Each structure stands twice: as C-alpha cells, then as structure tokens.
Amino acid sequence: MRQSRLFAPTLKESPADAEIASHKLLVRGGFMRRVASGIYDFLPLGVRVLRKIERIIREEMNREGAQEVMLPILQPRELWEESGRWSLYGEEMMRLKDRAGRDFGLGPTHEEVITALVRDNIKSYRDLPLNLYQIGAKFRDEVRPRFGLLRAREFVMKDAYSFDRDEKGMRDSYHSMYRAYSRIFDRCGVRWMAVEADTGLIGGDVSHEFMVLAAVGEDRIAHCENCGYAANVNLAGYRRESITGKARPLELVYTPGRRTVEEVSSFLEVEPRYLIKCLMYLVEGKPVAVLVPGDREAGEVKLERALGTPEFRLFNDADWECHPQFVRGFVGPVGLDGAEVLADLSLEGAQGMVCGSNREDHHLVGVEVGRDFKPTRYLDLALVRDGDPCPRCDSSLQVAAGIEVGQIFQLGLKYSQSMGCTYTDEKGQERPVFMGCYGIGVTRLMAAIVEQHHDDKGIRWPLEVAPAHVHIIPLNYEKEERRRAAEGIYRELLESGLEVLLDDREESAGVKFADADLYGIPFRLVLGKVFEESGELELQVRTSGERVIMSPQEAKNWIMEALTGV
RNA sequence: CGGGGUGUAGCGCAGUUUGGUCAGCGCGCAUGCUUUGGGAGCAUGAGGUCGGCGGUUCGAAUCCGCCCACCCCGACCA
C-alpha cells in the first residue's frame, strides 16, 4: 500500500461525539466514520482489520468442523411468528414493509432462519451433528446507541448454530465452540474471561459470555482468582454469612416519616445490613414481596430466574394505589397479607433485624426470620459485590468491568420444538433437534481490542489483527536516493509476503510519525539521518516503543521472525 | 420514553444573554517560497442555505413556535 493513495484520513482532534478511546482513535485514525447514530462507514484500514479478525474466526470455526453459510438480513414476519418472537422481540427489531405491505424484520439474530433451513433439509440422524455459521450485518434498534462500535445499531456479527441428536451431542458442540472462542480471542490479542451468563431473549439454560476486560465495559463480572469461578454479576452467586443484629425483644418503634433504608438506618442508629429491605413487585399481576438485606440490591435477572417469568416489575405509583394494604415505606414481611414473600438466602435465620411493620410511621426491631415470619422461599436474590466470599471456595470475589464480545448458548429444544425441527432416529422415531447458538460481535471485538491496545497517541494493534505488518517511513522523501532506497525495501518486504504500508508522501517527519502512531502498525522502519550516514534504518516497535538501528536485511529478518506462528 | 445539552466552512469552536460592519478563529485544504527525526514558517487564496420550516421585525446566527439531527444522564436492553 502506498500511503499517498490510501484513503485513511486522519484527524488531529477527536470528534465531538466520541468519549471513549476506541471510538476516538478509530475515527481519528481513519478507520471509520459515523453515518448516523450507531451506524458507521468502514474505511480501507478498518476493513483490513475486520477482515483479519474474520479470518481468525473462520479458521477457528472451520477447525471445529463448522461450515460457513450466508443468511438473509431481511426476514419475513411469518418466520418470527413461528418462534413467537415477532411480538416478544419488541422495539429492538427494525421492521419494515415491502410494497405489498408484507412485514419484514432486519435480522437481529438468525435462529428462526437457520432453524427453518435445517428443519426443511435434514431428515435423519445421519445428517447430524451439524454446525453452521455466518459472518454478516445485524441490526438492533438500540434504545441508546453509544460508545462507537460498542453499542451500535448496525454491526458485524459472527453467529453459529449447532444441531445435535441429543443433549450430550449439544454439550459436545457447545464445548467445541468454547474451545474455538478461546483460541479466537487469544489470537486477537485480548485479555478475556469466560463467565456464566444469563440467556435473556435468546433462551436456553446454559450460557457463557466472553468478556474482554476493560474499564469502559458495560458489563460487570465477578470472578474468583483462587478457584476460577466467574459469572456475570447479574447472576453471580456468593456465599452468605449469617446476619445477627443487636439482640433485643420484638418491638414496634415509632419512625415518623422514615421510609428509606438510609432514613431508618440513621434514625434508629442501626447499620443498613441489619435492616430487611422489602421490595414490592407485581408479578403477572400479583404482588410479591422480595426481601434482601438493607445494604444489598435485588438482582432482577436472579429474580426472573426465581420467578420463572419475565413478566414482573417493581411497584409503580398506580400499583401502590391499587393495593392500599401495603403501606409504602413501611412494608415488612411480618404479618404481611396478600403477597408471596421471597427472601434472599442471607436472611435465613437472621436475628435482631429491623423491618417495616405495615403500619404508617412504625418499624419493627428485634425481628427474627423464621420465628416472626416465614418466607415462602429462600432464594439467591441479592447482587454480589466486590469482596464477597466466593460461592465455591473460601476466597473473595473481585468485580471487574468487561465488554461482552461473545456469548454461547445451549438452547436445547426451544426453537426446534416451536418450529418443528426434527429428525428420525435409528428406531424410526421422530425427535426434536438439540440446538446451540454462538455469537461473536466482530465490530465490537475490534473496538474492544483498541480499548486494550492504545496509548494517548493512537492504536497499537496486536500483530495478528493489524491492518499491515510494517510501516516504512522514509523522511525527506523528496530526495531521489531516499525514495529509491525506500522503494527497494518496500519491494523486498512485499516479496517476502509481508503486508507493508509505504509512507510515500512528502510530509514533515512530525506529520508522518503522528499518522503512523494513529494507524498503529506494529513495526515501523524509519529511513532518516542514520540511513544517510550508514545505510542503516531504525526499527520501531509500536507497542513497546523499542527503537533499534539495524541494516535493512536485519530488519527484515527481525520482522519475519516476529511473524512466525502468526 | 423522561431529564439535560448541542447544531455556525471538511474537523474543533467563538459569536446568540443585549437583533443592526459578526460571517469569525484554529486546524485542514489550494498555490508559491523556505523547511524536513515528532502535527514547521511566511505569503496569497478557496470554502458557510449559521440544522430545517414558519413567524415577529425596517432588519434575525441572535427573539418566538413547530420539526429534525446529534450527544450526555436515566429508564430499557444483552
């Protein structure tokens, strides 16, 4: 590539709408431009990086026996009616009509299309197992696109779907994808972690998310360095310690106007963890009281799993009005009528607690769980915090921020049953196919790589995903001999199979270096004063900042050496 | 969807409070000369329906109304 011809316009200043490093640097470095909120153009350098990432994905998917297909972005309503997701997916799916008024959706994911394809074309156990994947555009009408590629409305995703005869086959497929993902993220040069995850709208039972550790990540993950336990905080467990507050007799106390945990806590001079927070939820139209220690949050994903339905919400103003027996700010589990009571595990046997009394301006103190009231069930409902005890060992959990770059699911029969995807087994019995699905956010991964690999001057691409291997920077390019020398080195490196960018512009050294920093190509060969004197050039390593003077031949060998195995 | 904010040249911004030599600055771009190991200097120049529509006014970037786009916080979502 000759830089004078390369369409990769750089910017001195960050665009006003960018606030995180990957967004700023990908735009400043000429890798991409914004078209609309959450929608981007990819310029030649950006495309080169994307293709590198896609190549890694293809190689590792193919290695596990997956086969690439191409599925349509535009999908008919009927298919989504079959799975029931036409209504369930909601506003997040972009929808449109054709000229005849038929409904279509822009695919946010492809379970329906792939299940229909496989359903119509496999018949026998001999056709299984099967693993199909594709890499292409996906659309999700995010409520609030932000952070550049991290939360876009149109993005590139690799999605794969496995089809097996039974549960064991499905688990094997799942593990094979887990292995493929591990290699993919390793090769992309990111520090990542696989965590137990919720399955959300996709459905299924077992799921892992692959997280790239980064402060700007929108996910929180809890992990244990001792035993390796790791889970998304929205469902991470932690070992409960029994809670025993100050021993005192059960008593009604006057707490005028004290409704919140903070108010009651400071008024009664009792630490929040000795309060029982009683949250009123409306679950499928019925009131349910959810109890957690006063210093804890209830996790709604945990709650959804416990309730077995996504149809619930915290009481709103109208709900309080509809249920006047619940005294807002003073509800408590003791003597609570008309609501099921779900308590967090930590409350089992708790003593010396404070809770609402169901009477205006009064709380109860000296409450003992189990004696003064009995919850319907004890469940894991409270959210984990940094430093909580690991649920599997004695160590403590750490909570860190991460970017979700991939997620894998054991779907089971969810789609095959609703869509009739079956096969005939050896005995002639018709059976539903066990499915799994596996996604990687390719463009999001590109941004995640930048989040982990940059400095204040620009990107520092890991070797295997860099837009090129070597950046040749001849200074004083207007000099004929310099130009010829650079040209010679350029040709030679190209002939060695390297990907090379030659800065053949008559620009000042400062401009060339600044652009090179933004582009972030791993190895840089500078032809300057030293070259004039001794014919040697300077090899600069973008990541380490290392600079070594050597002959062109040595430089070539050095780089070839660094590239072995890539 | 609620709250807050911003739209002025390719990019980053000032000007709007108080309507009238306010169509401005920096970067970038073009041309010339000088520069060339970290975004160099001088000179000349091109480039803008001031987000859009409507209104008030002798006169609107500036005041009023509606709309659109974009950003932030929240809700939502994975």
Side-chain angles (χ1 to χ4, degrees):
Chain A
M1 284 181 289
R2 290 171 188 277
Q3 206 166 329
S4 62
R5 306 280 73 216
L6 178 68
F7 181 54
T10 56
L11 299 174
K12 276 190 179 177
E13 298 177 88
S14 291
D17 59 4
E19 53 175 341
I20 63 168
S22 61
H23 189 185
K24 289 177 183 170
L25 294 176
L26 286 169
V27 173
R28 285 189 58 205
F31 293 85
M32 66 178 201
R33 286 291 185 269
R34 192 184 71 84
V35 175
S37 180
I39 301 173
Y40 294 88
D41 293 318
F42 286 88
L43 279 42
L45 288 183
V47 169
R48 289 184 69 90
V49 174
L50 273 183
R51 295 288 174 258
K52 292 283 185 80
I53 297 172
E54 290 171 2
R55 192 182 76 179
I56 292 171
I57 292 174
R58 286 194 170 92
E59 286 176 6
E60 298 302 340
M61 292 299 293
N62 294 345
R63 197 192 304 279
E64 293 293 337
Q67 302 172 67
E68 186 168 2
V69 294
M70 277 175 68
L71 305 172
I73 288 163
L74 204 54
Q75 305 176 12
R77 171 179 183 160
E78 292 71 33
L79 227 38
W80 285 73
E81 297 276 14
E82 283 191 50
S83 68
R85 290 206 298 181
W86 180 258
S87 53
L88 274 181
Y89 221 96
E91 303 269 271
E92 207 173 309
M93 180 155 65
M94 297 264 197
R95 294 160 206 251
L96 55 141
K97 289 180 189 296
D98 71 6
R99 62 173 74 194
R102 288 177 285 252
D103 288 309
F104 288 85
L106 294 182
T109 171
H110 282 73
E111 282 83 5
E112 282 78 2
V113 173
I114 196 89
T115 307
L117 172 68
V118 171
R119 164 188 70 192
D120 295 344
N121 294 284
I122 65 148
K123 292 287 163 249
S124 158
Y125 67 93
R126 296 174 206 275
D127 301 325
L128 300 175
L130 183 62
N131 188 330
L132 301 174
Y133 75 97
Q134 64 165 346
I135 298 176
K138 292 276 187 291
F139 296 82
R140 289 187 192 169
D141 195 0
E142 293 285 349
V143 207
R144 191 174 152 207
R146 59 183 135 179
F147 300 142
L149 296 181
L150 288 189
R151 187 158 290 259
R153 292 193 293 176
E154 176 175 343
F155 54 97
V156 176
M157 185 168 167
K158 186 283 307 180
D159 48 326
Y161 306 87
S162 67
F163 302 84
D164 283 278
R165 302 164 59 173
D166 51 25
E167 200 170 345
K168 180 184 178 303
M170 173 181 76
R171 278 202 290 267
D172 289 345
S173 294
Y174 186 83
H175 291 132
S176 118
M177 287 296 99
Y178 193 117
R179 290 193 299 273
Y181 276 39
S182 302
R183 292 194 300 265
I184 288 165
F185 297 123
D186 281 345
R187 288 179 64 184
C188 285
V190 288
R191 282 179 294 113
W192 60 275
M193 184 180 286
V195 306
E196 295 174 19
D198 182 42
T199 54
L201 264 184
I202 307 286
D205 301 318
V206 177
S207 178
H208 283 86
E209 286 166 333
F210 289 78
M211 298 286 190
V212 167
L213 302 173
V216 299
E218 295 182 84
D219 284 273
R220 294 290 173 276
I221 57 195
H223 68 282
C224 172
E225 287 195 347
N226 186 45
C227 72
Y229 173 77
N232 194 307
V233 291
N234 59 30
L235 52 69
Y238 66 98
R239 193 164 48 71
R240 305 303 199 274
E241 285 155 345
S242 61
I243 305 174
T244 308
K246 190 177 162 194
R248 55 193 295 186
L250 184 67
E251 187 188 345
L252 192 66
V253 295
Y254 184 51
T255 51
R258 278 26 179 222
R259 293 166 193 276
T260 66
V261 167
E262 294 72 35
E263 288 163 0
V264 175
S265 165
S266 58
F267 183 72
L268 295 178
E269 295 181 341
V270 172
E271 287 177 51
R273 62 195 173 115
Y274 299 124
L275 268 54
I276 297 174
K277 190 190 281 185
C278 182
L279 301 159
M280 295 305 299
Y281 279 88
L282 198 68
V283 181
E284 292 180 330
K286 287 178 294 200
V288 173
V290 171
L291 310 181
V292 295
D295 61 338
R296 295 274 174 176
E297 305 289 319
E300 300 221 330
V301 168
K302 291 183 171 188
L303 198 51
E304 178 174 340
R305 296 189 147 206
L307 296 168
T309 171
E311 199 187 317
F312 66 92
R313 62 150 189 268
L314 211 48
F315 262 35
N316 60 28
D317 291 343
D319 298 329
W320 287 107
E321 279 174 33
C322 283
H323 301 276
Q325 73 269 37
F326 304 123
V327 188
R328 194 170 191 173
F330 300 94
V331 277
V334 182
L336 187 70
D337 271 339
E340 188 182 1
V341 177
L342 305 179
D344 180 67
L345 294 171
S346 57
L347 291 172
E348 190 161 9
Q351 300 172 18
M353 304 299 284
V354 176
C355 66
S357 65
N358 301 308
R359 284 180 53 183
E360 192 76 26
D361 293 336
H362 290 80
H363 279 79
L364 284 169
V365 300
V367 174
E368 182 175 336
V369 183
R371 181 193 68 187
D372 303 320
F373 72 94
K374 287 188 170 53
T376 319
R377 282 186 289 166
Y378 292 101
L379 297 158
D380 176 12
L381 297 174
L383 281 182
V384 71
R385 284 188 310 224
D386 193 63
D388 279 338
C390 174
R392 299 213 182 132
C393 72
D394 282 335
S395 244
S396 64
L397 293 169
Q398 297 180 348
V399 173
I403 299 165
E404 180 199 330
V405 290
Q407 187 168 9
I408 57 179
F409 301 79
Q410 291 181 18
L411 294 174
L413 304 175
K414 177 177 161 112
Y415 295 90
S416 50
Q417 254 165 4
S418 62
M419 299 184 67
C421 182
T422 60
Y423 70 100
T424 307
D425 70 10
E426 299 95 318
K427 294 171 185 149
Q429 291 272 318
E430 186 172 339
R431 295 190 179 280
V433 169
F434 279 79
M435 289 176 58
C437 78
Y438 316 93
I440 291 179
V442 180
T443 39
R444 183 184 273 189
L445 176 55
M446 177 171 163
I449 292 169
V450 177
E451 288 298 331
Q452 280 192 354
H453 298 280
H454 70 273
D455 58 21
D456 55 355
K457 293 196 174 75
I459 300 172
R460 306 193 292 199
W461 292 110
L463 197 46
E464 201 168 355
V465 298
H469 303 132
V470 193
H471 197 170
I472 301 175
I473 304 181
L475 304 176
N476 304 95
Y477 197 70
E478 69 290 343
K479 292 185 187 170
E480 183 59 32
E481 53 84 20
R482 186 65 50 82
R483 194 183 289 242
R484 270 204 311 275
E487 191 73 25
I489 295 170
Y490 177 57
R491 292 235 174 80
E492 185 173 349
L493 294 182
L494 281 181
E495 279 160 21
S496 307
L498 294 172
E499 297 170 12
V500 189
L501 178 62
L502 171 64
D503 191 348
D504 58 341
R505 302 173 303 166
E506 292 184 19
E507 287 287 355
S508 72
V511 169
K512 291 191 169 200
F513 286 136
D515 283 344
D517 288 338
L518 282 167
Y519 290 163
I521 294 169
F523 299 111
R524 190 179 295 174
L525 298 178
V526 181
L527 283 69
K529 284 198 183 105
V530 180
F531 186 79
E532 184 109 12
E533 293 157 9
S534 65
E536 289 177 307
L537 37 75
E538 181 174 283
L539 173 84
Q540 299 183 357
V541 182
R542 179 69 180 94
T543 303
S544 63
E546 216 176 332
R547 299 177 174 201
V548 190
I549 305 291
M550 58 178 73
S551 72
Q553 187 57 43
E554 285 169 328
K556 177 182 150 188
N557 293 341
W558 170 305
I559 293 166
M560 296 298 286
E561 179 81 11
L563 272 164
T564 50
V566 167

PDB file of all heavy atoms in Angstrom, chain A residues 273-294:
ATOM      1  N   ARG A 273     -27.180  -3.185  57.018  1.00  0.00           N
ATOM      2  CA  ARG A 273     -27.238  -4.638  56.792  1.00  0.00           C
ATOM      3  C   ARG A 273     -28.117  -5.361  57.814  1.00  0.00           C
ATOM      4  O   ARG A 273     -28.424  -6.534  57.636  1.00  0.00           O
ATOM      5  CB  ARG A 273     -25.836  -5.248  56.784  1.00  0.00           C
ATOM      6  CG  ARG A 273     -25.067  -5.104  58.072  1.00  0.00           C
ATOM      7  CD  ARG A 273     -23.597  -5.396  57.812  1.00  0.00           C
ATOM      8  NE  ARG A 273     -22.796  -5.119  58.984  1.00  0.00           N
ATOM      9  CZ  ARG A 273     -22.133  -6.055  59.653  1.00  0.00           C
ATOM     10  NH1 ARG A 273     -22.180  -7.307  59.263  1.00  0.00           N
ATOM     11  NH2 ARG A 273     -21.416  -5.724  60.707  1.00  0.00           N
ATOM     12  N   TYR A 274     -28.509  -4.663  58.864  1.00  0.00           N
ATOM     13  CA  TYR A 274     -29.425  -5.282  59.823  1.00  0.00           C
ATOM     14  C   TYR A 274     -30.869  -4.878  59.558  1.00  0.00           C
ATOM     15  O   TYR A 274     -31.760  -5.161  60.351  1.00  0.00           O
ATOM     16  CB  TYR A 274     -29.017  -4.924  61.255  1.00  0.00           C
ATOM     17  CG  TYR A 274     -27.632  -5.418  61.585  1.00  0.00           C
ATOM     18  CD1 TYR A 274     -26.640  -4.541  62.027  1.00  0.00           C
ATOM     19  CD2 TYR A 274     -27.307  -6.770  61.432  1.00  0.00           C
ATOM     20  CE1 TYR A 274     -25.361  -4.998  62.298  1.00  0.00           C
ATOM     21  CE2 TYR A 274     -26.031  -7.237  61.698  1.00  0.00           C
ATOM     22  CZ  TYR A 274     -25.060  -6.349  62.133  1.00  0.00           C
ATOM     23  OH  TYR A 274     -23.813  -6.801  62.392  1.00  0.00           O
ATOM     24  N   LEU A 275     -31.061  -4.208  58.431  1.00  0.00           N
ATOM     25  CA  LEU A 275     -32.428  -3.911  58.012  1.00  0.00           C
ATOM     26  C   LEU A 275     -32.850  -4.947  56.971  1.00  0.00           C
ATOM     27  O   LEU A 275     -32.014  -5.491  56.250  1.00  0.00           O
ATOM     28  CB  LEU A 275     -32.502  -2.522  57.363  1.00  0.00           C
ATOM     29  CG  LEU A 275     -32.841  -1.327  58.268  1.00  0.00           C
ATOM     30  CD1 LEU A 275     -31.888  -1.266  59.452  1.00  0.00           C
ATOM     31  CD2 LEU A 275     -32.792  -0.039  57.475  1.00  0.00           C
ATOM     32  N   ILE A 276     -34.139  -5.219  56.907  1.00  0.00           N
ATOM     33  CA  ILE A 276     -34.655  -6.066  55.833  1.00  0.00           C
ATOM     34  C   ILE A 276     -35.333  -5.147  54.832  1.00  0.00           C
ATOM     35  O   ILE A 276     -36.311  -4.475  55.149  1.00  0.00           O
ATOM     36  CB  ILE A 276     -35.666  -7.104  56.368  1.00  0.00           C
ATOM     37  CG1 ILE A 276     -34.964  -8.055  57.342  1.00  0.00           C
ATOM     38  CG2 ILE A 276     -36.279  -7.882  55.201  1.00  0.00           C
ATOM     39  CD1 ILE A 276     -35.932  -9.022  58.026  1.00  0.00           C
ATOM     40  N   LYS A 277     -34.726  -5.109  53.626  1.00  0.00           N
ATOM     41  CA  LYS A 277     -35.319  -4.285  52.573  1.00  0.00           C
ATOM     42  C   LYS A 277     -36.433  -5.102  51.948  1.00  0.00           C
ATOM     43  O   LYS A 277     -36.219  -6.233  51.528  1.00  0.00           O
ATOM     44  CB  LYS A 277     -34.251  -3.944  51.538  1.00  0.00           C
ATOM     45  CG  LYS A 277     -34.655  -2.894  50.519  1.00  0.00           C
ATOM     46  CD  LYS A 277     -33.634  -2.791  49.394  1.00  0.00           C
ATOM     47  CE  LYS A 277     -32.416  -1.979  49.809  1.00  0.00           C
ATOM     48  NZ  LYS A 277     -31.493  -1.784  48.659  1.00  0.00           N
ATOM     49  N   CYS A 278     -37.624  -4.518  51.916  1.00  0.00           N
ATOM     50  CA  CYS A 278     -38.782  -5.244  51.397  1.00  0.00           C
ATOM     51  C   CYS A 278     -39.265  -4.557  50.125  1.00  0.00           C
ATOM     52  O   CYS A 278     -39.827  -3.465  50.181  1.00  0.00           O
ATOM     53  CB  CYS A 278     -39.897  -5.274  52.443  1.00  0.00           C
ATOM     54  SG  CYS A 278     -41.341  -6.199  51.920  1.00  0.00           S
ATOM     55  N   LEU A 279     -38.996  -5.195  48.979  1.00  0.00           N
ATOM     56  CA  LEU A 279     -39.355  -4.605  47.699  1.00  0.00           C
ATOM     57  C   LEU A 279     -40.641  -5.239  47.191  1.00  0.00           C
ATOM     58  O   LEU A 279     -40.767  -6.467  47.160  1.00  0.00           O
ATOM     59  CB  LEU A 279     -38.237  -4.851  46.685  1.00  0.00           C
ATOM     60  CG  LEU A 279     -36.867  -4.285  47.069  1.00  0.00           C
ATOM     61  CD1 LEU A 279     -35.763  -4.992  46.301  1.00  0.00           C
ATOM     62  CD2 LEU A 279     -36.822  -2.788  46.820  1.00  0.00           C
ATOM     63  N   MET A 280     -41.582  -4.400  46.817  1.00  0.00           N
ATOM     64  CA  MET A 280     -42.844  -4.936  46.303  1.00  0.00           C
ATOM     65  C   MET A 280     -42.795  -5.007  44.779  1.00  0.00           C
ATOM     66  O   MET A 280     -42.574  -4.007  44.105  1.00  0.00           O
ATOM     67  CB  MET A 280     -44.015  -4.053  46.743  1.00  0.00           C
ATOM     68  CG  MET A 280     -44.250  -4.033  48.253  1.00  0.00           C
ATOM     69  SD  MET A 280     -44.481  -5.679  48.973  1.00  0.00           S
ATOM     70  CE  MET A 280     -45.961  -6.231  48.092  1.00  0.00           C
ATOM     71  N   TYR A 281     -42.995  -6.206  44.273  1.00  0.00           N
ATOM     72  CA  TYR A 281     -43.039  -6.421  42.824  1.00  0.00           C
ATOM     73  C   TYR A 281     -44.427  -6.864  42.422  1.00  0.00           C
ATOM     74  O   TYR A 281     -45.129  -7.518  43.204  1.00  0.00           O
ATOM     75  CB  TYR A 281     -42.049  -7.506  42.416  1.00  0.00           C
ATOM     76  CG  TYR A 281     -40.625  -7.010  42.297  1.00  0.00           C
ATOM     77  CD1 TYR A 281     -39.774  -6.986  43.392  1.00  0.00           C
ATOM     78  CD2 TYR A 281     -40.137  -6.557  41.066  1.00  0.00           C
ATOM     79  CE1 TYR A 281     -38.470  -6.528  43.279  1.00  0.00           C
ATOM     80  CE2 TYR A 281     -38.831  -6.101  40.942  1.00  0.00           C
ATOM     81  CZ  TYR A 281     -38.012  -6.089  42.051  1.00  0.00           C
ATOM     82  OH  TYR A 281     -36.729  -5.633  41.935  1.00  0.00           O
ATOM     83  N   LEU A 282     -44.795  -6.526  41.210  1.00  0.00           N
ATOM     84  CA  LEU A 282     -46.023  -7.035  40.645  1.00  0.00           C
ATOM     85  C   LEU A 282     -45.614  -8.118  39.653  1.00  0.00           C
ATOM     86  O   LEU A 282     -44.963  -7.836  38.652  1.00  0.00           O
ATOM     87  CB  LEU A 282     -46.805  -5.927  39.942  1.00  0.00           C
ATOM     88  CG  LEU A 282     -48.283  -6.238  39.700  1.00  0.00           C
ATOM     89  CD1 LEU A 282     -49.034  -6.290  41.030  1.00  0.00           C
ATOM     90  CD2 LEU A 282     -48.902  -5.198  38.780  1.00  0.00           C
ATOM     91  N   VAL A 283     -45.949  -9.359  39.971  1.00  0.00           N
ATOM     92  CA  VAL A 283     -45.540 -10.490  39.145  1.00  0.00           C
ATOM     93  C   VAL A 283     -46.770 -11.098  38.503  1.00  0.00           C
ATOM     94  O   VAL A 283     -47.641 -11.625  39.200  1.00  0.00           O
ATOM     95  CB  VAL A 283     -44.827 -11.556  40.005  1.00  0.00           C
ATOM     96  CG1 VAL A 283     -44.373 -12.716  39.128  1.00  0.00           C
ATOM     97  CG2 VAL A 283     -43.661 -10.943  40.751  1.00  0.00           C
ATOM     98  N   GLU A 284     -46.837 -10.980  37.198  1.00  0.00           N
ATOM     99  CA  GLU A 284     -48.012 -11.456  36.452  1.00  0.00           C
ATOM    100  C   GLU A 284     -49.290 -10.972  37.142  1.00  0.00           C
ATOM    101  O   GLU A 284     -50.235 -11.731  37.343  1.00  0.00           O
ATOM    102  CB  GLU A 284     -47.976 -12.983  36.331  1.00  0.00           C
ATOM    103  CG  GLU A 284     -46.835 -13.437  35.426  1.00  0.00           C
ATOM    104  CD  GLU A 284     -46.727 -14.942  35.265  1.00  0.00           C
ATOM    105  OE1 GLU A 284     -47.096 -15.653  36.222  1.00  0.00           O
ATOM    106  OE2 GLU A 284     -46.286 -15.385  34.208  1.00  0.00           O
ATOM    107  N   GLY A 285     -49.269  -9.724  37.529  1.00  0.00           N
ATOM    108  CA  GLY A 285     -50.456  -9.102  38.098  1.00  0.00           C
ATOM    109  C   GLY A 285     -50.631  -9.281  39.597  1.00  0.00           C
ATOM    110  O   GLY A 285     -51.522  -8.677  40.188  1.00  0.00           O
ATOM    111  N   LYS A 286     -49.773 -10.140  40.205  1.00  0.00           N
ATOM    112  CA  LYS A 286     -49.951 -10.377  41.637  1.00  0.00           C
ATOM    113  C   LYS A 286     -48.783  -9.798  42.433  1.00  0.00           C
ATOM    114  O   LYS A 286     -47.633  -9.841  41.988  1.00  0.00           O
ATOM    115  CB  LYS A 286     -50.056 -11.885  41.918  1.00  0.00           C
ATOM    116  CG  LYS A 286     -51.392 -12.471  41.468  1.00  0.00           C
ATOM    117  CD  LYS A 286     -51.445 -13.967  41.709  1.00  0.00           C
ATOM    118  CE  LYS A 286     -50.454 -14.701  40.829  1.00  0.00           C
ATOM    119  NZ  LYS A 286     -50.735 -16.120  40.633  1.00  0.00           N
ATOM    120  N   PRO A 287     -49.073  -9.259  43.625  1.00  0.00           N
ATOM    121  CA  PRO A 287     -47.997  -8.673  44.422  1.00  0.00           C
ATOM    122  C   PRO A 287     -47.092  -9.742  45.042  1.00  0.00           C
ATOM    123  O   PRO A 287     -47.569 -10.767  45.515  1.00  0.00           O
ATOM    124  CB  PRO A 287     -48.735  -7.894  45.514  1.00  0.00           C
ATOM    125  CG  PRO A 287     -50.132  -8.371  45.497  1.00  0.00           C
ATOM    126  CD  PRO A 287     -50.400  -9.064  44.229  1.00  0.00           C
ATOM    127  N   VAL A 288     -45.791  -9.476  44.998  1.00  0.00           N
ATOM    128  CA  VAL A 288     -44.804 -10.361  45.603  1.00  0.00           C
ATOM    129  C   VAL A 288     -43.814  -9.487  46.369  1.00  0.00           C
ATOM    130  O   VAL A 288     -43.355  -8.474  45.849  1.00  0.00           O
ATOM    131  CB  VAL A 288     -44.049 -11.175  44.531  1.00  0.00           C
ATOM    132  CG1 VAL A 288     -42.898 -11.958  45.157  1.00  0.00           C
ATOM    133  CG2 VAL A 288     -45.001 -12.132  43.810  1.00  0.00           C
ATOM    134  N   ALA A 289     -43.527  -9.890  47.616  1.00  0.00           N
ATOM    135  CA  ALA A 289     -42.544  -9.143  48.400  1.00  0.00           C
ATOM    136  C   ALA A 289     -41.186  -9.817  48.263  1.00  0.00           C
ATOM    137  O   ALA A 289     -41.073 -11.025  48.408  1.00  0.00           O
ATOM    138  CB  ALA A 289     -42.970  -9.116  49.870  1.00  0.00           C
ATOM    139  N   VAL A 290     -40.185  -9.031  47.953  1.00  0.00           N
ATOM    140  CA  VAL A 290     -38.829  -9.560  47.783  1.00  0.00           C
ATOM    141  C   VAL A 290     -37.950  -8.968  48.878  1.00  0.00           C
ATOM    142  O   VAL A 290     -37.849  -7.745  49.010  1.00  0.00           O
ATOM    143  CB  VAL A 290     -38.291  -9.204  46.388  1.00  0.00           C
ATOM    144  CG1 VAL A 290     -36.815  -9.552  46.282  1.00  0.00           C
ATOM    145  CG2 VAL A 290     -39.088  -9.931  45.309  1.00  0.00           C
ATOM    146  N   LEU A 291     -37.316  -9.838  49.657  1.00  0.00           N
ATOM    147  CA  LEU A 291     -36.539  -9.372  50.802  1.00  0.00           C
ATOM    148  C   LEU A 291     -35.040  -9.535  50.566  1.00  0.00           C
ATOM    149  O   LEU A 291     -34.585 -10.624  50.203  1.00  0.00           O
ATOM    150  CB  LEU A 291     -36.916 -10.166  52.054  1.00  0.00           C
ATOM    151  CG  LEU A 291     -38.401 -10.303  52.380  1.00  0.00           C
ATOM    152  CD1 LEU A 291     -38.570 -11.108  53.671  1.00  0.00           C
ATOM    153  CD2 LEU A 291     -39.044  -8.936  52.517  1.00  0.00           C
ATOM    154  N   VAL A 292     -34.307  -8.469  50.784  1.00  0.00           N
ATOM    155  CA  VAL A 292     -32.838  -8.546  50.758  1.00  0.00           C
ATOM    156  C   VAL A 292     -32.323  -7.719  51.930  1.00  0.00           C
ATOM    157  O   VAL A 292     -33.036  -6.852  52.450  1.00  0.00           O
ATOM    158  CB  VAL A 292     -32.252  -8.003  49.436  1.00  0.00           C
ATOM    159  CG1 VAL A 292     -32.652  -8.863  48.256  1.00  0.00           C
ATOM    160  CG2 VAL A 292     -32.670  -6.555  49.205  1.00  0.00           C
ATOM    161  N   PRO A 293     -31.089  -7.980  52.364  1.00  0.00           N
ATOM    162  CA  PRO A 293     -30.524  -7.151  53.429  1.00  0.00           C
ATOM    163  C   PRO A 293     -30.492  -5.682  52.988  1.00  0.00           C
ATOM    164  O   PRO A 293     -30.338  -5.384  51.807  1.00  0.00           O
ATOM    165  CB  PRO A 293     -29.109  -7.700  53.599  1.00  0.00           C
ATOM    166  CG  PRO A 293     -29.171  -9.092  53.067  1.00  0.00           C
ATOM    167  CD  PRO A 293     -30.176  -9.055  51.961  1.00  0.00           C
ATOM    168  N   GLY A 294     -30.619  -4.786  53.946  1.00  0.00           N
ATOM    169  CA  GLY A 294     -30.745  -3.370  53.639  1.00  0.00           C
ATOM    170  C   GLY A 294     -29.590  -2.764  52.862  1.00  0.00           C
ATOM    171  O   GLY A 294     -29.745  -1.733  52.211  1.00  0.00           O
TER     172      GLY A 294
END
